[in-house]
Amino acid sequence: MNGYPWYPRYPNDYLGSRKVGAMNIAEEGVYNRLLDYEWNEPDCTLPADISVLKMLTKIMGSPLEPFVNFELVLKCFKPYGTQSGRMYNPRLRKEWLKMKQLRRKKSASGKKGMASRWG
């Protein structure tokens, strides 16, 4: 867990995405579950192993598995680093980095306030 219990979600961007628009409902469910798992990782990335991702999304062996085109879902992710075996969603990572920066800023403010109050 990365310590951020929620992430911002922008319905207009999500519903307006061509990549999401091309997905069926099962693929959207897989995609959303992957975003949730990515958010909870300490570095906001996912393993780039399809079999691991299928297990995480609970699609492996389910009656819905034949209806999920993982290649279509994976178009929403990019490789992370050159040989890390990890991947990320660019929009989610951007939000994660903003959240991380905001947390640092609030922490610094809190320390500054505490120092001025308590010396």
Side-chain angles (χ1 to χ4, degrees):
M1 297 281 218
N2 68 21
Y4 308 127
W6 62 275
Y7 58 89
R9 190 163 161 100
Y10 303 94
N12 290 341
D13 293 346
Y14 180 82
L15 296 173
S17 164
R18 285 190 208 152
K19 291 176 184 174
V20 173
M23 294 179 193
N24 64 38
I25 196 72
E27 291 160 346
E28 274 194 61
V30 165
Y31 175 55
N32 279 298
R33 195 161 183 95
L34 289 176
L35 291 177
D36 291 346
Y37 273 108
E38 179 182 347
W39 185 260
N40 278 321
E41 286 293 312
D43 61 353
C44 198
T45 66
L46 288 170
D49 182 336
I50 290 180
S51 59
V52 171
L53 298 175
K54 284 183 176 184
M55 284 189 291
L56 283 175
T57 58
K58 301 182 181 182
I59 205 72
M60 185 180 276
S62 87
L64 292 175
E65 187 174 10
F67 301 103
V68 176
N69 177 352
F70 248 85
E71 296 305 319
L72 183 63
V73 174
L74 293 181
K75 286 183 180 182
C76 296
F77 296 88
K78 292 186 175 185
Y80 181 74
T82 53
Q83 296 183 12
S84 69
R86 308 284 293 175
M87 62 182 195
Y88 70 99
N89 176 275
R91 176 62 185 265
L92 188 66
R93 184 149 180 91
K94 178 182 168 186
E95 297 301 328
W96 181 78
L97 290 170
K98 282 197 303 191
M99 189 80 75
K100 198 172 170 181
Q101 182 181 15
L102 180 63
R103 180 175 271 183
R104 276 193 296 256
K105 185 178 176 182
K106 286 186 177 260
S107 174
S109 279
K111 288 175 184 173
K112 184 178 176 184
M114 184 184 74
S116 69
R117 182 174 182 176
W118 300 104

PDB file of all heavy atoms in Angstrom, residues 9-17:
ATOM      1  N   ARG A   9     -10.597  10.841  -9.826  1.00  0.00           N
ATOM      2  CA  ARG A   9     -11.144  10.189 -11.015  1.00  0.00           C
ATOM      3  C   ARG A   9     -11.933  11.242 -11.789  1.00  0.00           C
ATOM      4  O   ARG A   9     -12.723  11.970 -11.204  1.00  0.00           O
ATOM      5  CB  ARG A   9     -12.044   9.046 -10.595  1.00  0.00           C
ATOM      6  CG  ARG A   9     -12.459   8.186 -11.730  1.00  0.00           C
ATOM      7  CD  ARG A   9     -12.985   6.881 -11.170  1.00  0.00           C
ATOM      8  NE  ARG A   9     -13.786   6.243 -12.158  1.00  0.00           N
ATOM      9  CZ  ARG A   9     -13.358   5.260 -12.927  1.00  0.00           C
ATOM     10  NH1 ARG A   9     -12.147   4.793 -12.759  1.00  0.00           N
ATOM     11  NH2 ARG A   9     -14.128   4.726 -13.830  1.00  0.00           N
ATOM     12  N   TYR A  10     -11.699  11.294 -13.074  1.00  0.00           N
ATOM     13  CA  TYR A  10     -12.316  12.298 -13.920  1.00  0.00           C
ATOM     14  C   TYR A  10     -13.232  11.614 -14.935  1.00  0.00           C
ATOM     15  O   TYR A  10     -12.769  11.177 -15.995  1.00  0.00           O
ATOM     16  CB  TYR A  10     -11.238  13.127 -14.625  1.00  0.00           C
ATOM     17  CG  TYR A  10     -10.303  13.783 -13.644  1.00  0.00           C
ATOM     18  CD1 TYR A  10      -9.104  13.181 -13.263  1.00  0.00           C
ATOM     19  CD2 TYR A  10     -10.638  14.998 -13.063  1.00  0.00           C
ATOM     20  CE1 TYR A  10      -8.261  13.783 -12.345  1.00  0.00           C
ATOM     21  CE2 TYR A  10      -9.795  15.610 -12.146  1.00  0.00           C
ATOM     22  CZ  TYR A  10      -8.607  14.993 -11.789  1.00  0.00           C
ATOM     23  OH  TYR A  10      -7.777  15.585 -10.881  1.00  0.00           O
ATOM     24  N   PRO A  11     -14.533  11.527 -14.631  1.00  0.00           N
ATOM     25  CA  PRO A  11     -15.459  10.798 -15.508  1.00  0.00           C
ATOM     26  C   PRO A  11     -15.469  11.284 -16.955  1.00  0.00           C
ATOM     27  O   PRO A  11     -15.549  10.474 -17.873  1.00  0.00           O
ATOM     28  CB  PRO A  11     -16.823  11.013 -14.852  1.00  0.00           C
ATOM     29  CG  PRO A  11     -16.526  11.341 -13.439  1.00  0.00           C
ATOM     30  CD  PRO A  11     -15.205  12.040 -13.442  1.00  0.00           C
ATOM     31  N   ASN A  12     -15.372  12.593 -17.181  1.00  0.00           N
ATOM     32  CA  ASN A  12     -15.389  13.089 -18.552  1.00  0.00           C
ATOM     33  C   ASN A  12     -14.181  12.592 -19.345  1.00  0.00           C
ATOM     34  O   ASN A  12     -14.302  12.239 -20.511  1.00  0.00           O
ATOM     35  CB  ASN A  12     -15.445  14.615 -18.588  1.00  0.00           C
ATOM     36  CG  ASN A  12     -16.773  15.153 -18.120  1.00  0.00           C
ATOM     37  OD1 ASN A  12     -17.772  14.436 -18.093  1.00  0.00           O
ATOM     38  ND2 ASN A  12     -16.793  16.414 -17.731  1.00  0.00           N
ATOM     39  N   ASP A  13     -13.024  12.570 -18.705  1.00  0.00           N
ATOM     40  CA  ASP A  13     -11.820  12.066 -19.375  1.00  0.00           C
ATOM     41  C   ASP A  13     -11.928  10.566 -19.609  1.00  0.00           C
ATOM     42  O   ASP A  13     -11.560  10.054 -20.667  1.00  0.00           O
ATOM     43  CB  ASP A  13     -10.568  12.366 -18.544  1.00  0.00           C
ATOM     44  CG  ASP A  13     -10.281  13.853 -18.453  1.00  0.00           C
ATOM     45  OD1 ASP A  13     -10.874  14.635 -19.225  1.00  0.00           O
ATOM     46  OD2 ASP A  13      -9.468  14.235 -17.594  1.00  0.00           O
ATOM     47  N   TYR A  14     -12.423   9.857 -18.610  1.00  0.00           N
ATOM     48  CA  TYR A  14     -12.551   8.405 -18.701  1.00  0.00           C
ATOM     49  C   TYR A  14     -13.531   8.019 -19.810  1.00  0.00           C
ATOM     50  O   TYR A  14     -13.221   7.239 -20.702  1.00  0.00           O
ATOM     51  CB  TYR A  14     -13.004   7.835 -17.351  1.00  0.00           C
ATOM     52  CG  TYR A  14     -13.156   6.345 -17.342  1.00  0.00           C
ATOM     53  CD1 TYR A  14     -12.053   5.519 -17.161  1.00  0.00           C
ATOM     54  CD2 TYR A  14     -14.398   5.745 -17.518  1.00  0.00           C
ATOM     55  CE1 TYR A  14     -12.185   4.145 -17.154  1.00  0.00           C
ATOM     56  CE2 TYR A  14     -14.538   4.370 -17.504  1.00  0.00           C
ATOM     57  CZ  TYR A  14     -13.431   3.577 -17.331  1.00  0.00           C
ATOM     58  OH  TYR A  14     -13.555   2.208 -17.330  1.00  0.00           O
ATOM     59  N   LEU A  15     -14.717   8.574 -19.764  1.00  0.00           N
ATOM     60  CA  LEU A  15     -15.744   8.225 -20.746  1.00  0.00           C
ATOM     61  C   LEU A  15     -15.428   8.765 -22.139  1.00  0.00           C
ATOM     62  O   LEU A  15     -15.882   8.211 -23.138  1.00  0.00           O
ATOM     63  CB  LEU A  15     -17.114   8.735 -20.283  1.00  0.00           C
ATOM     64  CG  LEU A  15     -17.623   8.102 -18.992  1.00  0.00           C
ATOM     65  CD1 LEU A  15     -18.898   8.795 -18.528  1.00  0.00           C
ATOM     66  CD2 LEU A  15     -17.844   6.608 -19.162  1.00  0.00           C
ATOM     67  N   GLY A  16     -14.618   9.815 -22.208  1.00  0.00           N
ATOM     68  CA  GLY A  16     -14.240  10.381 -23.494  1.00  0.00           C
ATOM     69  C   GLY A  16     -13.022   9.718 -24.121  1.00  0.00           C
ATOM     70  O   GLY A  16     -12.664  10.023 -25.259  1.00  0.00           O
ATOM     71  N   SER A  17     -12.401   8.799 -23.410  1.00  0.00           N
ATOM     72  CA  SER A  17     -11.206   8.130 -23.926  1.00  0.00           C
ATOM     73  C   SER A  17     -11.578   7.135 -25.031  1.00  0.00           C
ATOM     74  O   SER A  17     -12.473   6.314 -24.874  1.00  0.00           O
ATOM     75  CB  SER A  17     -10.514   7.376 -22.782  1.00  0.00           C
ATOM     76  OG  SER A  17      -9.587   6.445 -23.286  1.00  0.00           O
TER      77      SER A  17
END
